[in-house]
Amino acid sequence: MTEPTSPHPSAQALHHAMSGLAGPLSAGAGTAPDYTAVPRPAAGEEPSVLILGAGVGGLTAAYELGRLGHRCTVLEPQPRTGGRNRTARRGDKLYELDGEGNSPVLTHTCAFDHGLYLNLGPGRIPHHHRRVLKYCTELGVALEPYIMETTANVLHRAGHTPPGRPWRNRRVANDTRGHLAALLSATLTGRDAFTGQLRDLLRKFGDLDEEGEYHGSTRSGYAEPLDVHEFPSPAPPLGLADLVVSEFWKHRFYQPVDHLWQATMFQPVGGMDRIVHALTERITTEYGVTVELGAEVTSVDLTGAGVRVGYRSGGQERTTTADYCVSNIPLPVLKQLELTGFSPEFGNAVTAVGFAPTCKVGWQANRRFWEDDRNQIFGGISFTDHPITQFWYPSHDYFSKTGTLTGAYNFGDNARDMGKRTPVERLGLARDGAVQLHREFLEKTTVPQDLGVSIAWHKVPHQLGGWADWDPADPAHQVAYKQLLQPEGDGRFYVVGDQASPLPGWQEGAMMSAQYVVAQILGLLPRTAPDTVQVPDAVFLTQGL
Amino acid sequence: MTEPTSPHPSAQALHHAMSGLAGPLSAGAGTAPDYTAVPRPAAGEEPSVLILGAGVGGLTAAYELGRLGHRCTVLEPQPRTGGRNRTARRGDKLYELDGEGNSPVLTHTCAFDHGLYLNLGPGRIPHHHRRVLKYCTELGVALEPYIMETTANVLHRAGHTPPGRPWRNRRVANDTRGHLAALLSATLTGRDAFTGQLRDLLRKFGDLDEEGEYHGSTRSGYAEPLDVHEFPSPAPPLGLADLVVSEFWKHRFYQPVDHLWQATMFQPVGGMDRIVHALTERITTEYGVTVELGAEVTSVDLTGAGVRVGYRSGGQERTTTADYCVSNIPLPVLKQLELTGFSPEFGNAVTAVGFAPTCKVGWQANRRFWEDDRNQIFGGISFTDHPITQFWYPSHDYFSKTGTLTGAYNFGDNARDMGKRTPVERLGLARDGAVQLHREFLEKTTVPQDLGVSIAWHKVPHQLGGWADWDPADPAHQVAYKQLLQPEGDGRFYVVGDQASPLPGWQEGAMMSAQYVVAQILGLLPRTAPDTVQVPDAVFLTQGL
């Protein structure tokens, strides 16, 4: 067995081998490092690694270490790899824990038509999540654009938007811009050149008239559809008072402006789980990694020379050992395990942060009514203050006959409340919300009730939430995050996943974390985190947008 | 021969048949009308129609009339259909008129690698151009998203952006927003609830701090790429003074905000000419339409009972006659024909409006450097004050090895000047402009000189420009546009094309115009235009954005 505190080969040699590479050592664009420059361990001296959990973080660690010749075994309690990266298709069974949080209960058997699918977890990849894009390229996972926002999307705000007639995104966005620009323009009294230029900028920014006033813009759409005699003309703008009083911006309207969701975004052709399928296939067929499904870890013991892991598989209690252990287990699940030989600081860190409640609802629609002449919606998200919060349109198979819609994506109390309901009640609630946006949801032949699915991630066995609910304002979280970046047991036990990254809830975070831990195991990075490390911000994801 | 002034069948009957349909009669969403409700002419009584020019307008007229059983012949001088809808591929030969504007001269033989292509004319389809989308669906033309803007695009402004380091779109857009919101917020002194809400809106709109000040935002990108220890933090914002003095908004920066270019946009998979190929195949194989290529019309005579058209084909002068004639010939070409039996008003209308000069340049790149870790650009447009004006990145085949770039798309004097240069000089100029945006253009192995193509549409035989240069401020244009919506020769001769629509330069305009003329021929619409008709605005396309 290799001595873990003196990694093989020497850290110095590896540092040298890696120099000049855009890997985790570099402040470069943060893509997958080229570990091929790292010397392979000699035959018979390959370190053994136990990876707990086949989520994206665990699979990435197995990919990198397996490629380097480490002997990796992945233990995964579920009958599939991917963790929260899950795509629902016909026949898929969804389970959640019962009211007491104990036994898994079947909530839905997905009944979508063949060929239809819906991403239940991550659904999009920013163009600056270079690790995800790089792995997709390496693995041959085809990508297509994910449309985050189209100006045809709508906004519903109870008591403010007319019943059954939500506001179009283009009106809210551009009428607001116009009004704000006009307000500012009216305050500019200077006659100098700079003020003149600023006034000109405002005219273009807000589509103001020559006097710097806003009286509506075709940016908000045309009053009438064009024809040979019918020219583009603006509808009367939404009033500034109506816009302000509606507080539309409190319902994630400006989320697409945030860097994380800026165009261009991508999605794998055929479903997000193409990534985990490709990873799983590559590591098992080419890198000699063993993936044991249905293997539920119950204990980790660091008191011996290596790492000793106890798990349940095929109704039996088993144990196995390795030189290293990489845990991709969500912290709320990890804290339920029997952990021996860990520092008290680590124990505190594991319990410091909870996982966030979040739900999604999926519908099959037998007619893509949202793309028709009246709606003209191709992708993007409609936002509402109804508990469903978000309503996603598919960014694929445009102009085809049928499709799937994400009928809810919510957080906090809305997610907690929805999670408490029965599957049938959830779909009822989701339909109520959808009707505010699209009257077509009244037609159950168009959107059949028995083809809906729902998932409350905080009730899903082995997951217990959407992401680590890191709060930069919580002093305990400062200590905990730093602690999780440092291995336990003299460099034998590591935590990976988006939970241990600045990107909670994002696959990029999971991959980043895996690369970091792999570099630590290889001795390419120190095994202590800097004192100044910040805390990830998950509050922003649910309340800041 | 059917009597043209009394269309077959009766206008009244057809009006009735069309009632309730979302066709040109309707103020609906303006999709392709369902002419199938129109009774077909009796066998042997099918009207004959000569369609001059196989551009999108002519092909659409042939599609609609051919489907109704009219006997259509399309005369097209070029060896291909499509007009300005042209996609360059390996082996394609491009011709332009020589300095004296007389004989066509070969400018380029496209040498792109097999499988690469570039749209030389129209390049995108707005989601509200319902006619184009409907025809694509009917014809089985697969569509994919065209990305108009990604925040990774760049802006170059000589003397304002640092040499070789253009500003990212996300910085210009969001730093401007932040500064403007902060300026307005500072003027708000009220303590009432409404002012409080307005201040809150500004905070979200501009990403201001609690005091309503702007000190930069991660919307403008991260100061450093993220890593496990490296958290999102904003770079220092571009200064308001730097932004204002640069007058960046005068270089089309806000074009993507206009309704015409708002997301979601589309493009045909495989090239824009898939549309004209599909139209051509459908009309010739299913609707019995004859398309004569290499047939150059020289005269139109309305003095007889029908329409008599003279044309040159295979080196011979020929004549043919028909009940109706639909001219898709660009007005600057039409005015060179021998026109007999036309009203003086029509003669004036044809000469009233010129066609706009516009150029495009296409490059093959042997490496998609713009998608790499440093550039991270997937689609969209970079804008510059260099004469190339626009620089487009491909919205297809992302993550592949090679690709094509649109290295210039310009107007007015820039286009006129570029058009006067030799093909080699144009590519030299385009490379100079591209280098300001991407130093990779210095590497001729990455972007080979001999794989570039250029087109000056105003010098292309049978086209003579990009679009009818309609100016609402020109009183002569008011008279001319109305005149062109009315047939000559007692309802026998019609003008179609985007030139006779409120959408100059757009395929939707061409299809709209064709549907209008078909409805006039069928007697579904009056053959006189309303007095109040407006004038299309092409000035906006080149100077207003």
Side-chain angles (χ1 to χ4, degrees), chain B residues 191-252:
Chain B
R191 300 185 156 272
D192 56 303
F194 182 82
T195 308
Q197 286 176 309
L198 184 53
R199 239 186 249 114
D200 194 46
L201 164 58
L202 286 168
R203 266 196 292 271
K204 196 56 77 74
F205 181 79
D207 203 11
L208 310 183
D209 64 16
E210 284 302 309
E211 283 69 47
E213 292 175 3
Y214 184 67
H215 299 290
S217 167
T218 52
R219 291 177 179 176
S220 303
Y222 304 141
E224 294 291 337
L226 303 192
D227 216 321
V228 167
H229 302 152
E230 191 63 54
F231 280 61
S233 69
L238 295 171
L240 177 62
D242 291 340
L243 287 162
V244 169
V245 170
S246 80
E247 297 193 316
F248 70 86
W249 61 93
K250 294 194 171 170
H251 303 282
R252 311 179 78 86

Side-chain angles (χ1 to χ4, degrees), chain A residues 22-31 127-131 133-134 137 143-145 147 149-152 170 173-174 176-177 179-181 183-184 187-188 194 197-198 200-202 204-205 218-222 224-233 240-250 254 257-260 262-264 266 371-374 376-380 395 398-399 481 485 500-503 509 512-513 516 528-530 533-537 543-545, chain B residues 22-31 127-131 133-134 137 143-145 147 149-152 170 173-174 176-177 179-181 183-184 187-188 194 197-198 200-202 204-205 218-222 224-233 240-250 254 257-260 262-264 266 371-374 376-380 395 398-399 481 485 500-503 509 512-513 516 528-530 533-537 543-545:
Chain A
L25 302 177
S26 145
T31 57
H127 64 269
H128 47 93
H129 281 188
R130 306 301 294 182
R131 292 169 181 83
L133 298 179
K134 187 77 174 292
T137 305
L143 298 170
E144 63 193 353
I147 304 297
E149 180 177 44
T150 156
T151 62
R170 55 178 171 255
N174 293 301
T176 297
R177 248 171 108 128
H179 289 305
L180 295 180
L183 281 182
L184 179 55
T187 70
L188 300 178
F194 182 82
Q197 286 176 309
L198 185 54
D200 194 46
L201 163 59
L202 287 168
K204 196 56 77 74
F205 180 79
T218 51
R219 290 177 180 174
S220 303
Y222 303 141
E224 295 290 338
L226 303 192
D227 216 320
V228 167
H229 302 150
E230 191 64 53
F231 280 61
S233 69
L240 177 61
D242 291 340
L243 287 162
V244 169
V245 170
S246 79
E247 297 192 316
F248 69 87
W249 62 92
K250 294 194 171 169
Y254 289 121
V257 182
D258 190 89
H259 192 38
L260 278 165
Q262 288 172 0
T264 306
F266 289 98
E371 295 181 352
D372 70 13
D373 289 338
R374 205 169 56 77
Q376 305 187 4
I377 295 174
F378 298 90
S395 290
Y398 305 106
F399 307 103
Y481 181 70
L485 301 184
S501 86
L503 287 169
M512 181 187 292
S513 163
Y516 170 77
T528 50
V533 71
Q534 288 178 253
V535 178
D537 189 352
Q543 296 165 40
L545 290 166
Chain B
L25 303 177
S26 145
T31 57
H127 65 268
H128 47 94
H129 282 188
R130 306 300 295 181
R131 292 170 181 83
L133 298 179
K134 188 78 175 290
T137 305
L143 298 170
E144 64 192 353
I147 305 297
E149 181 178 44
T150 156
T151 62
R170 56 178 171 254
N174 293 301
T176 298
R177 248 172 107 129
H179 288 305
L180 296 180
L183 281 182
L184 180 54
T187 71
L188 300 178
F194 182 82
Q197 286 176 309
L198 184 53
D200 194 46
L201 164 58
L202 286 168
K204 196 56 77 74
F205 181 79
T218 52
R219 291 177 179 176
S220 303
Y222 304 141
E224 294 291 337
L226 303 192
D227 216 321
V228 167
H229 302 152
E230 191 63 54
F231 280 61
S233 69
L240 177 62
D242 291 340
L243 287 162
V244 169
V245 170
S246 80
E247 297 193 316
F248 70 86
W249 61 93
K250 294 194 171 170
Y254 289 122
V257 182
D258 189 90
H259 192 37
L260 278 166
Q262 288 172 359
T264 307
F266 289 98
E371 296 181 353
D372 70 13
D373 289 338
R374 205 170 55 79
Q376 306 188 3
I377 295 174
F378 299 89
S395 289
Y398 304 106
F399 307 103
Y481 181 70
L485 299 185
S501 86
L503 288 169
M512 179 187 293
S513 163
Y516 170 76
T528 51
V533 70
Q534 287 177 253
V535 179
D537 190 353
Q543 297 166 40
L545 289 166

Side-chain angles (χ1 to χ4, degrees), chain A residues 92 96 114 194 281 358:
Chain A
D92 287 349
E96 293 182 18
H114 284 293
F194 182 82
E281 184 178 340
T358 185

Side-chain angles (χ1 to χ4, degrees), chain B residues 36 58 105 180 205 282 288 312 317 334 348 371 414 507 532:
Chain B
T36 54
V105 175
L180 296 180
F205 181 79
R282 179 70 61 91
R312 211 175 284 123
E317 304 291 337
L334 184 62
N348 291 339
E371 296 181 353
N414 286 328
Q507 297 178 96
T532 55

